[in-house]
Amino acid sequence: MCGIVGIVGREAVAGQVIEALRRLEYRGYDSAGIATLEHGRLERRRAEGKLSNLQLKLVQSPLTGAIGIGHTRWATHGRPNETNAHPHATARLAVVHNGIIENFRELKKELETAGARFETETDTEVVAQLVSHLMDQGLGPVAAVEAALPRLRGAFALGFLFSGEEDFLIGARHGAPLAIGFGDGETYLGSDALALAPFTDEITYLDEGDWAILTRDGAEIRDIANQIVARPRQKIVSQAFLVDKGNHRHFMAKEIHEQPEVVGRTLAHYVDLAGGRIALPEALPFDFAKLSRLSITACGTAYYAGLVAKYWFESIARLPVEIDVASETRYREPPLDRDGLTLVISQSGETADTLASLRYAKSQGQHSLAVVNVPTSTIARESSVVMPTLAGPEIGVASTKAFSCQLTVLLCLAIAAGRARGTIDAARERALVDALITVPGLMAESVALEPEIEVLAREIAKARDVLYLGRGTSYPMALEGALKLKEISYIHAEGYAAGELKHGPIALIDENVPVIVIAPHDAIFEKTVSNMQEVAARGGRIVLIGDAKGAADHGLDTLATLTMPAVDPVVAPIVYAVPIQLLAYHTAVFMGKDVDQPRNLAKSVTVE
Ligand code: F6R
């Protein structure tokens, strides 16, 4: 988490640093800071909270240096106050950091013994103090960084600015992404290409262990063994980096509304419409028919997409699926078949636990398939095959359109697997493809329920606890519904398999707890109705997200019924994502919460 920026520019860089940080705010917004050289002297401005607070400080007290670094923070070590805000500095240098220095306590002790005085509660300050200490012993800035880097443990990316050194910055990558951008007499450092897109379309991604000296003429990149290396320059398509809210009040609203379009775009990439079959955009380096099982790993919402996919792979392709959250997979060290397949799912492609699980799977001789939204991300680059979700940049911290695009790609993969394994014939594949093709239209119809959902949101906003129930693929959707509501409204919400209710959670039901039941009229609808009856019998207030047939059949009093269009049950999760997201969104907006940047969260979770 955290975003870092560095610019060796021709004139005052503070404005550009802020612009780049604005694009990195998705990585954290606990505090922000900038350091520049003012006539060779290090000057910092830092502020608690969002970037706008830092901007105010810069208005009151501008910086004019032509070289600078900046940071937007998601707090790991130390409270999110101004003292702990980056850049951290000594008289010799300032540093910005993304990630965690795991051995900071040990280094801090050593440096304190040598006379260093620490001002913050952060792990980052040890980096500033360590490099400073090495410079006190006579090393120049480059040699000091070279000597310091091997002493740091953990996953991190760093940017250094040195007092009196107007002509260069240093960046280092060790487990967290870092890109260098090349401009006209200017060179940039950033946590991702999105941050640098306003200034350049020419990017180099540092490899693991690389560090680089950036000057106005370019960058000298060294690998982990300190050998000078050439890394490829890539052209980025700036069109893909347009970031605005359009006519919407929040990015999250825009991204929910965009779903019919982006799911359609994703489908067009995976479906041979004329042939009525799935046509994967990449050749697969493995054969689905030869797999004895599939391992899926991911975090948060992406994990729930994987959980839905488990139902699809097992029922359509008769392929057993093992799925776990990546923070567990990575340390569980599950036995994995050589030549088997691990599927990782990630919007950002940078999630530390997912990346570590991917690396573990590769170390076991597994093929890796990544469903990712950011095609230039580390996970995309390290996977043997990438199936992109074409959702476009997702800025709202709560994942919406990336989730529905993940589901779309995963269903296409399950169908392709079914064909390869001979568990579906051409007619069934065509029927599944026909169902998929209806999805964008059905999502658009579901968006039209928004006025009703807005009214319902006012009721949900009064609740302290909310339960979500579902069976089959609606069970992971219940988990996702609860996650979406809690992360942006801060209302406590839990998702359960509807059949599990009577094994404990039913004790929570009373007239104050809304129970949101996700139940398209499918083969197990009647079973879910029985669970709704159990809720009703205990005075629970039911909200049914179902279709007209279900609404007519259940015969119970509900707090509200959101009548969705009739859908083929196979594609229901993709379509039902819309009301779930809209309900969380409007509840949070009604409660006055910051839906795009909810407290304590960040968009890209690059720490474990
Ligand atoms: C919730 C949300 C998170 C992410 C999770 C994984 O709305 O967005 O739960 O899904 O942090 O992130 P990615 O998909 O970038 O690996």
Side-chain angles (χ1 to χ4, degrees):
M1 338 269 269
C2 302
I4 69 176
V5 175
I7 301 180
V8 198
R10 283 171 303 178
E11 41 200 48
V13 293
Q16 283 170 295
V17 170
I18 293 292
E19 190 172 352
L21 289 179
R22 164 92 42 236
R23 290 162 164 259
L24 289 175
E25 245 192 327
Y26 73 89
R27 301 175 77 92
Y29 33 80
D30 285 334
S31 64
I34 175 171
T36 57
L37 290 186
E38 305 291 308
H39 307 292
R41 220 184 52 251
L42 273 172
E43 280 276 349
R44 288 184 290 169
R45 303 285 180 269
R46 297 177 299 159
E48 186 177 330
K50 295 198 179 174
L51 192 57
S52 44
N53 298 346
L54 176 65
Q55 280 178 292
L56 272 180
K57 282 211 165 164
L58 281 167
V59 170
Q60 287 151 5
S61 173
L63 290 174
T64 59
I67 182 166
I69 54 178
H71 189 267
T72 175
R73 178 167 189 241
W74 185 81
T76 57
H77 294 58
R79 278 159 291 170
N81 56 23
E82 184 174 332
T83 310
N84 290 330
H86 301 217
H88 293 293
T90 65
R92 291 188 176 278
L93 69 130
V95 63
V96 284
H97 163 219
N98 160 32
I100 291 178
I101 309 294
E102 286 173 358
N103 56 336
F104 85 100
R105 273 191 206 85
E106 158 193 332
L107 289 171
K108 189 169 177 180
K109 218 160 159 191
E110 177 186 322
L111 290 160
E112 276 173 340
T113 311
R117 284 195 25 239
F118 282 78
E119 288 171 1
T120 77
E121 302 162 321
T122 66
D123 53 341
T124 311
E125 197 183 355
V126 297
V127 182
Q129 295 280 6
L130 176 62
V131 175
S132 223
H133 175 68
L134 291 163
M135 290 176 73
D136 289 345
Q137 293 180 329
L139 297 183
V142 175
V145 171
E146 180 177 340
L149 289 176
R151 302 223 42 212
L152 306 176
R153 281 208 314 269
F156 52 82
L158 295 162
F160 296 93
L161 172 69
F162 296 90
S163 177
E165 301 288 359
E166 302 266 8
D167 296 325
F168 71 89
L169 290 174
I170 296 181
R173 174 194 167 140
H174 186 102
L178 203 53
I180 296 176
F182 302 93
D184 184 11
E186 296 196 330
T187 307
Y188 319 95
L189 186 71
S191 293
D192 65 21
L194 177 65
L196 308 183
F199 321 126
T200 180
D201 62 356
E202 211 174 332
I203 296 284
T204 290
Y205 290 97
L206 292 186
D207 269 7
E208 200 43 44
D210 284 354
W211 58 290
I213 302 154
L214 282 71
T215 62
R216 291 185 177 81
D217 302 327
E220 181 182 292
I221 303 176
R222 304 187 183 189
D223 66 10
I224 197 157
N226 298 319
Q227 299 300 311
I228 296 179
V229 282
R231 302 285 180 221
R233 286 194 187 190
Q234 303 180 15
K235 282 267 178 210
I236 53 169
V237 190
S238 47
Q239 185 64 21
F241 292 109
L242 282 177
V243 179
D244 71 63
K245 289 185 204 149
N247 292 329
H248 297 276
R249 200 167 144 199
H250 300 102
F251 280 110
M252 185 177 175
K254 174 181 172 236
E255 288 159 3
I256 293 172
H257 282 253
E258 266 174 4
Q259 290 181 109
E261 186 193 330
V262 295
V263 166
R265 190 197 304 160
T266 300
L267 266 179
H269 205 62
Y270 287 85
V271 173
D272 165 8
L273 289 172
R277 62 199 300 274
I278 299 298
L280 296 180
E282 292 279 337
L284 299 176
F286 56 84
D287 184 352
F288 271 120
K290 298 213 170 93
L291 298 179
S292 56
R293 66 174 171 158
L294 168 66
S295 301
I296 303 182
T297 188
C299 301
T301 288
Y303 167 72
Y304 295 143
L307 217 47
V308 174
K310 175 181 165 76
Y311 288 78
W312 285 332
F313 276 105
E314 292 187 344
S315 64
I316 298 171
R318 307 301 300 151
L319 178 59
V321 172
E322 195 164 85
I323 175 162
D324 209 348
V325 287
S327 53
E328 289 301 314
T329 314
R330 67 180 291 188
Y331 294 115
R332 205 162 41 90
E333 299 189 356
L336 298 172
D337 301 336
R338 182 156 279 282
D339 292 327
L341 177 63
T342 287
L343 193 164
V344 297
I345 308 161
S346 176
Q347 187 286 127
S348 63
E350 302 294 351
T351 301
D353 287 323
T354 311
L355 178 59
S357 300
L358 165 69
R359 288 178 178 159
Y360 171 73
K362 285 173 69 180
S363 76
Q364 301 299 296
Q366 288 245 307
H367 296 287
S368 51
L369 191 165
V371 174
V372 285
N373 197 40
V374 180
T376 50
S377 61
T378 312
I379 288 177
R381 281 181 281 133
E382 292 195 13
S383 299
S384 24
V385 58
V386 178
M387 295 290 159
T389 46
L390 305 179
E394 190 180 65
I395 307 297
V397 162
S399 191
T400 53
K401 62 176 181 169
F403 174 67
S404 49
C405 288
Q406 284 161 355
L407 291 176
T408 304
V409 173
L410 291 165
L411 181 49
C412 291
L413 282 169
I415 297 170
R419 184 174 68 215
R421 294 168 69 82
T423 52
I424 54 171
D425 59 14
R428 178 68 184 140
E429 179 169 1
R430 180 175 281 277
L432 287 166
V433 164
D434 285 348
L436 262 170
I437 293 167
T438 62
V439 167
L442 293 168
M443 290 183 104
E445 278 184 53
S446 313
V447 171
L449 292 175
E450 191 161 16
E452 264 172 76
I453 293 176
E454 220 176 319
V455 173
L456 172 62
R458 287 159 196 253
E459 280 302 309
I460 302 298
K462 294 181 202 153
R464 214 188 57 184
D465 306 285
V466 178
L467 295 185
Y468 284 73
L469 301 180
R471 277 179 182 262
T473 51
S474 296
Y475 163 46
M477 295 306 289
L479 296 172
E480 169 61 5
L483 174 63
K484 216 83 303 166
L485 183 69
K486 71 183 131 193
E487 72 179 320
I488 60 170
S489 72
Y490 319 144
I491 295 174
H492 171 240
E494 297 294 339
Y496 287 102
E500 268 295 291
L501 191 67
K502 53 190 162 300
H503 299 290
I506 200 161
L508 298 172
I509 306 281
D510 65 21
E511 60 287 357
N512 299 315
V513 181
V515 180
I516 298 174
V517 182
I518 302 162
H521 200 282
D522 55 16
I524 43 179
F525 178 74
E526 292 307 329
K527 306 280 174 204
T528 310
V529 171
S530 306
N531 304 127
M532 285 163 61
Q533 248 141 7
E534 291 155 12
V535 172
R538 285 152 185 91
R541 296 185 307 155
I542 297 167
V543 173
L544 175 66
I545 308 184
D547 48 35
K549 203 154 173 230
D553 273 8
H554 66 71
L556 293 165
D557 273 347
T558 58
L559 170 64
T561 297
L562 295 177
T563 309
M564 293 285 288
V567 300
D568 183 314
V570 176
V571 297
I574 319 178
V575 182
Y576 276 58
V578 173
I580 287 166
Q581 296 161 352
L582 282 173
L583 185 57
Y585 170 77
H586 282 293
T587 305
V589 169
F590 182 68
M591 294 171 79
K593 304 296 184 214
D594 187 346
V595 290
D596 280 338
Q597 295 183 326
R599 72 183 180 201
N600 305 342
L601 292 172
K603 185 76 182 154
S604 179
V605 186
T606 55
V607 295
E608 59 176 291

